[in-house]
Amino acid sequence: MPDDLTPPALLDRLAGLLGPRGLLTAPADIAPYLSDWRALYTGRSPCVARPGTTAELAALVKLCAAARIPLVPVGGNTSMVGGATPDDSGRQVIVSLGRLNRIRDLDPLDMTMTCEAGVVVKAAQEAAIAAGCLFPLSFGGEGTATIGGVLSTNAGGNTTVRYGNARELMLGLEVVLPDGQVWNGLRRLRKDNTGYALRHLFVGAEGTLGFITAAVLRLFPPARESAVALCAVADEDAALALFRRCRDRDETAIRAFEYMSGTGVALYAKQIENGSVPIPGHAHYVLVDLASSRPDAGLRGLLEAVLEDAMTAGEVTDAVLAESEAQRAQLWRIREEHPEAQKREGASVKNDVSVPVSKTPELIRRASAACEALIPGIRPVPFGHMGDGNIHMNLQQPEDMPGAEFLARSHDIMDTVNAVVRELDGSFSAEHGIGRLKTDMMEAWRGGAELAVMQRIKAALDPAGLLNPGKVLP
Amino acid sequence: MPDDLTPPALLDRLAGLLGPRGLLTAPADIAPYLSDWRALYTGRSPCVARPGTTAELAALVKLCAAARIPLVPVGGNTSMVGGATPDDSGRQVIVSLGRLNRIRDLDPLDMTMTCEAGVVVKAAQEAAIAAGCLFPLSFGGEGTATIGGVLSTNAGGNTTVRYGNARELMLGLEVVLPDGQVWNGLRRLRKDNTGYALRHLFVGAEGTLGFITAAVLRLFPPARESAVALCAVADEDAALALFRRCRDRDETAIRAFEYMSGTGVALYAKQIENGSVPIPGHAHYVLVDLASSRPDAGLRGLLEAVLEDAMTAGEVTDAVLAESEAQRAQLWRIREEHPEAQKREGASVKNDVSVPVSKTPELIRRASAACEALIPGIRPVPFGHMGDGNIHMNLQQPEDMPGAEFLARSHDIMDTVNAVVRELDGSFSAEHGIGRLKTDMMEAWRGGAELAVMQRIKAALDPAGLLNPGKVLP
């Protein structure tokens, strides 16, 4: 180990390696990287390294491995769980992948696209559209989040019910390993059974096993027909029954199936400018979005038939179908502005949980009741991806309770929700990952053999523990 | 380590553990397990252990770990690469998962099924059908291969283009680890980002990292409409152009897209009883199979429109659409009997390779030409899953060459095909895995950082190297 890599010498070496654009050392430049998107954590760091190529990153990792300098990778810094924020030691070097932002290749015949880690998700979507294709990953942070970040966290989103998580959209990876070696696994093969599926190990590892620097992503034909409806449903079971009806008709057509509570929809109407709701006043809603690459799929007729059956069965009590693209966007806005409406209404506690799809009604009912018993007047605002069993089981402060007092109960609330999730064989982190926020839950939920294997893998790949320390594993 | 576990004592201990049904020691009972399906290898073993429960298997693994006895897991013993055959040492204990054959759960609302490892694929399909669902994994060996085997090898098959490989059909696993601990990861969640994706590590590991004892599998709505056509196409490029036409119309409708050479189709007509071909005499064929869960999908019209366009463009020169279920089966038989027709015709060399979908025409052309240059008169019989880029690039002996002489050139032929595959950024094992047959290729194809990481993972999970030694890793 070179012993001259105390911070000033380290910074000189890094500056020499990365050039003037490649290293931020001014406090004002570093500041945005020191806290996370939700402002849950603030750490310290001597610098932000911004390699411009995979080779530069590899050299940086080698240098820091030799000096035993811990590294914290960051993409768009939109983690919901503090996954990209350094600790308080001041020793952890932040490594931004933002300059690795080329789309290296896009092949409409293979239906693949090779993106570097720093490509913003929205830019990837737009490149696909320009080539007559669809890159389907879509979620609130898509304008900021990067390909490296969504793969490292196995991001989900609105279209997972149809296209899968980020993992399912990935065919190959390029990774800088903890010792600075580069693994070129950028294969664009649909079938390749040649040893262990390393690519699946790095996806979802949140940068603790290596730096994802590029990926081969799957593309799809674009939607040429769609049908979107906002439905008022009788209760949580009716919402699930409607999902089943859609799935039985054509499971491939369901692009999104989003549950919303009456409370959340009312908050939208109250807090968001022009937040009109065409069918207000109901206790439960579902946003159904059907789409097909067939221009003659007849999805409107299909959706009308499903809704008619569901109304006859008493499951759907009212519904409105989008008659235009503008109306479609308006209906989607109700769902997309849920986080903003909650924020404006005051303090809230977020829970990104999942259960088997069949148990989503029970999750919503039981978790809401348990939280109401814990804090009278609390306002459950469950919403999200019912078709994936992934409900954002959020809780809004009681109207008459100060926000700070409510937030002081955050852990009690999360524990209450998670106790229900656990009884329903669910997960305490559906699509956001572990980061720093949930490491202390790993032992209770994934302890024993599972956590032991994870720790052995971490030790095998990163024996010095230098990659994103303090994240994922307790 | 107990030092009394020399073979006789070992057998006593195993018999005590597993009971009379649980241990085969008579040579006649062991014999079927000592060689592989293709008869490439024959090994030796003191016994076949047949645990009846996961707990029994765990106890067995603990016992053998303590005694440093290597274990070879076997399911239906249909490996194409000798993945389940013991070596010649006589020390390796065969562990059959065949008695772990319960379907523990099937939930048509969740669309999941929990199968033990020994459930035969066909039995899983039938259980799904009985519940009004579809388990889509389908391939030649489905009547013998088991769920544990298809997951351990990440099996592909005919419907991969639509539903993915075995990996994509799996949501959760139960695994007995090399130290005998049981990991219960039988989660049936669509989203669960809680640490490393261990389930994906065991899938495709061919039993070298642990024993898969049960799995949660995904189900789908059954097909309610289908349209199948056998098409004569102008050349390999025309075959791919037809695939693109189908995909652009409705990528979700393509259940299978199988290329066949004129040579292979002629061999079928010659060798198989009642092997009639409705449109004989062409150089290239494609079998298109469209299906949808919509009873009103209009697939016949869609397929007719695609074929009309393709005929106008000169890509399709003749075609026949199945008019009945019987005719559908008859067309599929041409494809399914390819291996049998090849076998009856004499000696052949099989290559299970893949390339990016866009490069399949080039693969077929160049690999055929290279083999013809190597052995004049050799008959290329490429066929298979063009929609996945996975072509079985098989070679039939020249008519005037003795089979043994031809087979003596097997390695030359495989090397010739693989050289082309490599230039096209392909894989030397698309869906069959590595087993024993291809371990010596791992260094050349996956060497360097990739193989080093695999070996570190193997050492981390199975430090004594007792699980399926000599498979996958060189």
Side-chain angles (χ1 to χ4, degrees):
Chain A
M1 195 201 312
D3 57 358
D4 65 337
L5 286 175
T6 49
L10 171 74
L11 292 181
D12 286 350
R13 293 277 294 276
L14 289 178
L17 191 68
L18 302 171
R21 288 186 61 205
L23 194 68
L24 308 178
T25 52
D29 292 338
I30 300 175
Y33 294 90
L34 297 180
S35 41
D36 65 300
W37 191 73
R38 290 177 66 188
L40 298 173
Y41 303 100
T42 300
R44 293 167 56 225
S45 177
C47 62
V48 178
R50 301 173 67 241
T53 64
T54 299
E56 276 188 8
L57 174 61
L60 159 78
V61 172
K62 264 191 195 124
L63 178 71
C64 291
R68 300 195 163 252
I69 304 288
L71 303 173
V72 178
V74 60
N77 201 21
T78 60
S79 173
M80 301 290 283
V81 290
T85 307
D87 68 11
D88 299 329
S89 68
R91 288 194 71 241
Q92 301 187 334
V93 166
I94 296 167
V95 182
S96 165
L97 283 289
R99 286 176 68 211
L100 288 170
N101 61 356
R102 289 182 310 141
I103 294 177
R104 293 188 191 168
D105 181 84
L106 194 158
D107 188 327
L109 184 48
D110 275 331
M111 286 280 190
T112 60
M113 169 166 66
T114 305
C115 287
E116 292 184 343
V119 172
V120 169
V121 172
K122 189 143 193 67
Q125 293 170 355
E126 285 166 356
I129 290 169
C133 301
L134 170 75
F135 176 62
L137 192 71
S138 175
F139 58 100
E142 65 192 26
T144 311
T146 60
I147 293 300
V150 296
L151 289 171
S152 292
T153 57
N154 188 28
N158 297 330
T159 61
T160 306
V161 65
R162 165 73 182 87
Y163 297 99
N165 291 288
R167 177 185 304 288
E168 280 81 42
L169 302 175
M170 173 271 319
L171 290 176
L173 294 181
E174 179 187 85
V175 176
V176 174
L177 298 168
D179 61 3
Q181 280 193 86
V182 179
W183 169 46
N184 181 347
L186 288 175
R187 302 193 275 270
R188 43 169 128 164
L189 303 172
R190 307 285 162 158
K191 291 184 177 175
D192 174 36
N193 286 341
T194 53
Y196 307 151
L198 299 188
R199 62 194 178 100
H200 282 292
L201 198 53
F202 294 108
V203 170
E206 303 185 30
T208 63
L209 298 177
F211 289 81
I212 295 174
T213 50
V216 179
L217 302 169
R218 296 181 64 187
L219 301 176
F220 296 82
R224 297 196 185 87
E225 200 193 278
S226 70
V228 174
L230 178 69
C231 311
V233 291
D235 55 23
E236 299 89 345
D237 291 308
L240 186 61
L242 180 60
F243 175 66
R244 191 173 187 173
R245 283 183 191 281
C246 293
R247 192 181 61 187
D248 285 352
R249 287 285 183 126
D250 187 358
E251 92 281 13
T252 67
I254 306 173
R255 182 164 59 182
F257 192 95
E258 300 283 308
Y259 171 85
M260 293 175 284
S261 69
T263 309
V265 171
L267 284 184
Y268 165 81
K270 175 183 172 189
Q271 294 287 357
I272 305 295
E273 303 78 19
N274 308 314
S276 74
V277 175
I279 45 170
H282 296 276
H284 305 275
Y285 293 87
V286 164
L287 185 69
V288 187
D289 188 330
L290 306 183
S292 172
S293 59
R294 287 181 70 172
D296 60 345
L299 295 179
R300 168 131 195 156
L302 188 150
L303 185 52
E304 283 172 348
V306 166
L307 293 178
E308 201 177 302
D309 290 351
M311 281 179 166
T312 305
E315 294 154 7
V316 169
T317 54
D318 201 356
V320 54
L321 274 85
E323 301 290 344
S324 65
E325 191 52 38
Q327 216 179 345
R328 194 186 87 81
Q330 196 190 14
L331 295 182
W332 259 106
R333 202 165 158 247
I334 302 173
R335 161 66 184 84
E336 282 169 345
E337 293 287 2
H338 258 59
E340 184 62 25
Q342 281 206 271
K343 200 170 173 179
R344 295 186 188 176
E345 179 72 10
S348 68
V349 173
K350 294 174 195 292
N351 291 284
D352 169 46
V353 298
S354 66
V355 292
V357 175
S358 61
K359 296 183 180 176
T360 43
E362 202 177 343
L363 168 68
I364 296 169
R365 271 196 300 268
R366 285 180 54 183
S368 297
C371 289
E372 284 159 355
L374 181 74
I375 301 179
I378 199 170
R379 288 171 291 168
V381 188
F383 67 92
H385 323 300
M386 189 177 229
D388 304 315
N390 174 201
I391 299 292
H392 297 300
M393 194 61 233
N394 291 3
L395 287 307
Q396 196 77 25
Q397 62 175 91
E399 296 195 58
D400 55 359
M401 183 184 278
E405 190 184 323
F406 179 71
L407 290 178
R409 305 292 303 276
S410 293
H411 279 281
D412 292 344
I413 295 169
M414 288 192 272
D415 289 349
T416 300
V417 169
N418 281 322
V420 175
V421 170
R422 186 141 198 176
E423 285 180 27
L424 299 176
D425 300 319
S427 170
F428 65 103
S429 190
E431 59 177 12
H432 294 166
I434 302 301
R436 276 170 78 170
L437 184 64
K438 298 185 178 178
T439 47
D440 63 355
M441 300 173 71
M442 286 292 282
E443 181 65 45
W445 287 72
R446 300 290 177 252
E450 183 164 359
L451 189 54
V453 172
M454 289 187 202
Q455 280 161 331
R456 273 185 272 163
I457 289 170
K458 171 71 173 176
L461 269 67
D462 181 21
L466 296 176
L467 258 59
N468 216 4
K471 314 292 164 51
V472 184
L473 300 178
Chain B
M1 193 200 314
D3 57 357
D4 63 339
L5 286 175
T6 50
L10 171 73
L11 292 182
D12 286 349
R13 293 279 294 274
L14 290 178
L17 192 66
L18 302 171
R21 290 185 61 203
L23 194 68
L24 307 179
T25 52
D29 293 338
I30 299 175
Y33 294 90
L34 296 181
S35 42
D36 65 299
W37 191 73
R38 291 178 65 189
L40 299 172
Y41 303 101
T42 300
R44 294 168 54 227
S45 177
C47 61
V48 178
R50 301 174 68 241
T53 64
T54 299
E56 276 188 9
L57 174 60
L60 159 78
V61 172
K62 263 192 195 125
L63 179 70
C64 291
R68 300 194 163 253
I69 304 288
L71 302 174
V72 179
V74 60
N77 202 21
T78 59
S79 173
M80 301 290 282
V81 290
T85 308
D87 68 10
D88 300 330
S89 69
R91 287 195 71 240
Q92 300 187 335
V93 166
I94 296 167
V95 182
S96 164
L97 282 290
R99 286 176 67 211
L100 287 170
N101 62 355
R102 289 182 310 142
I103 295 177
R104 293 188 193 169
D105 181 85
L106 195 159
D107 188 327
L109 184 48
D110 275 330
M111 285 282 190
T112 60
M113 168 165 68
T114 305
C115 287
E116 291 184 343
V119 171
V120 169
V121 172
K122 190 144 192 66
Q125 292 170 353
E126 286 166 355
I129 290 169
C133 301
L134 169 75
F135 177 63
L137 193 71
S138 174
F139 59 100
E142 65 192 27
T144 311
T146 59
I147 294 301
V150 296
L151 288 172
S152 292
T153 58
N154 188 27
N158 298 329
T159 61
T160 307
V161 65
R162 165 71 182 88
Y163 296 100
N165 290 289
R167 178 186 302 289
E168 280 81 41
L169 302 175
M170 173 272 318
L171 290 177
L173 293 181
E174 179 186 84
V175 176
V176 174
L177 298 167
D179 61 4
Q181 279 193 86
V182 179
W183 169 45
N184 181 347
L186 287 175
R187 301 193 275 269
R188 45 168 127 163
L189 302 172
R190 307 285 162 157
K191 291 185 177 173
D192 175 36
N193 286 342
T194 53
Y196 306 151
L198 299 188
R199 62 196 178 99
H200 283 292
L201 198 53
F202 293 107
V203 170
E206 303 186 29
T208 63
L209 298 178
F211 289 81
I212 295 174
T213 50
V216 179
L217 302 169
R218 294 180 65 187
L219 302 176
F220 296 82
R224 298 198 184 85
E225 200 192 278
S226 71
V228 174
L230 179 69
C231 311
V233 292
D235 55 22
E236 299 90 345
D237 291 308
L240 186 61
L242 181 60
F243 174 66
R244 190 173 186 172
R245 283 184 192 280
C246 292
R247 192 182 59 186
D248 285 352
R249 287 287 183 125
D250 186 358
E251 92 281 13
T252 66
I254 306 173
R255 183 164 57 184
F257 192 95
E258 299 284 309
Y259 171 85
M260 293 176 285
S261 70
T263 309
V265 170
L267 285 185
Y268 166 81
K270 175 182 170 190
Q271 295 287 358
I272 304 296
E273 302 79 16
N274 308 315
S276 74
V277 176
I279 46 171
H282 297 275
H284 305 275
Y285 293 87
V286 163
L287 185 69
V288 186
D289 189 331
L290 306 183
S292 170
S293 59
R294 285 181 72 172
D296 60 345
L299 295 178
R300 168 132 195 155
L302 187 150
L303 185 52
E304 282 172 349
V306 166
L307 292 178
E308 201 177 301
D309 289 352
M311 280 180 166
T312 305
E315 295 154 6
V316 169
T317 54
D318 201 356
V320 54
L321 274 84
E323 301 289 345
S324 65
E325 191 52 36
Q327 219 179 343
R328 192 185 89 81
Q330 197 190 12
L331 295 182
W332 259 104
R333 201 165 159 248
I334 302 173
R335 163 63 185 84
E336 282 168 346
E337 294 287 1
H338 259 58
E340 183 62 24
Q342 282 205 270
K343 199 170 174 180
R344 294 186 189 176
E345 180 71 9
S348 68
V349 173
K350 295 174 194 291
N351 291 283
D352 169 48
V353 298
S354 66
V355 292
V357 174
S358 61
K359 297 183 180 176
T360 44
E362 202 176 343
L363 168 68
I364 295 169
R365 272 196 300 268
R366 287 179 54 184
S368 297
C371 289
E372 284 158 355
L374 181 75
I375 302 180
I378 198 170
R379 290 171 289 169
V381 188
F383 68 93
H385 323 300
M386 188 176 229
D388 305 316
N390 173 203
I391 299 292
H392 297 299
M393 194 62 233
N394 292 2
L395 288 308
Q396 196 78 24
Q397 62 175 91
E399 297 196 54
D400 55 0
M401 183 184 279
E405 190 183 323
F406 178 72
L407 290 177
R409 305 292 304 275
S410 294
H411 278 283
D412 292 344
I413 296 169
M414 288 192 271
D415 289 350
T416 302
V417 169
N418 282 322
V420 176
V421 170
R422 186 138 198 179
E423 284 178 29
L424 299 176
D425 301 319
S427 171
F428 66 102
S429 190
E431 58 177 13
H432 294 166
I434 302 300
R436 275 170 79 169
L437 185 63
K438 298 186 178 178
T439 48
D440 62 356
M441 300 174 70
M442 286 292 282
E443 182 64 47
W445 288 71
R446 300 289 176 253
E450 182 165 358
L451 189 54
V453 172
M454 289 188 203
Q455 280 161 330
R456 271 185 273 163
I457 289 170
K458 171 72 173 176
L461 269 66
D462 180 21
L466 296 176
L467 257 58
N468 217 4
K471 316 292 166 48
V472 184
L473 299 178

